[in-house]
């Protein structure tokens, strides 16, 4: 299992565990973590699964590629930072065990 902690805007922490190979979006939705909507079903088409990767983890997760569809979507999201990613594009494996993701105040 891969452990991921989602940190809400108000500081509440939501530690979850999920099978390797699933995405951070699925980890959030399957465990009812508030603030991750994932409206498009994980198709990289809505940006309602926006998260800020904890700075300690961003190099391991990987930064947003400038010329990607993910970057195109995130340019219109609220509060995008250099640690922004879409949770549906973060595939979880043992390398990411212990990952910390911060959930923005809103997705719209
Ligand atoms: S779920 Fe729609 S972009 Fe991630």
């Amino acid at each position: 299992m891969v452990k991921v902690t989602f940190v809400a805007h108000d500081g509440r922490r939501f530690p979850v565990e999920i099978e390797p190979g699933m995405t951070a979006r699925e980890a959030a939705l399957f465990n009812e973590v508030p603030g991750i909507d994932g409206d498009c079903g994980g198709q990289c088409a809505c940006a309602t699964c926006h998260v800020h990767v904890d700075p300690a983890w961003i190099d391991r997760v990987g930064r947003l590629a400038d010329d990607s569809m993910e970057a195109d979507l995130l340019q219109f999201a609220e509060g995008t930072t250099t640690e922004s990613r879409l949770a549906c594009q973060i595939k979880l494996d043992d390398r990411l065990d212990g990952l910390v993701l911060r959930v923005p105040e809103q997705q719209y």
Side-chain angles (χ1 to χ4, degrees), residues 25 37-49 73 86-89:
R25 171 192 175 274
D37 297 332
D39 290 342
C40 74
Q43 300 302 307
C44 196
C46 71
T48 63
C49 64
L73 281 172
L86 294 176
C88 68
Q89 302 303 302

Side-chain angles (χ1 to χ4, degrees), residues 14-67:
F14 297 88
V16 305
E17 291 189 11
I18 194 157
E19 295 283 337
M22 305 299 267
T23 67
R25 171 192 175 274
E26 292 162 329
L29 293 186
F30 293 172
N31 290 284
E32 300 181 0
V33 174
I36 303 287
D37 297 332
D39 290 342
C40 74
Q43 300 302 307
C44 196
C46 71
T48 63
C49 64
H50 179 197
V51 291
H52 298 131
V53 179
D54 187 277
W57 287 92
I58 189 65
D59 288 339
R60 215 174 301 181
V61 170
R63 290 187 192 273
L64 200 55
D66 284 343
D67 57 351

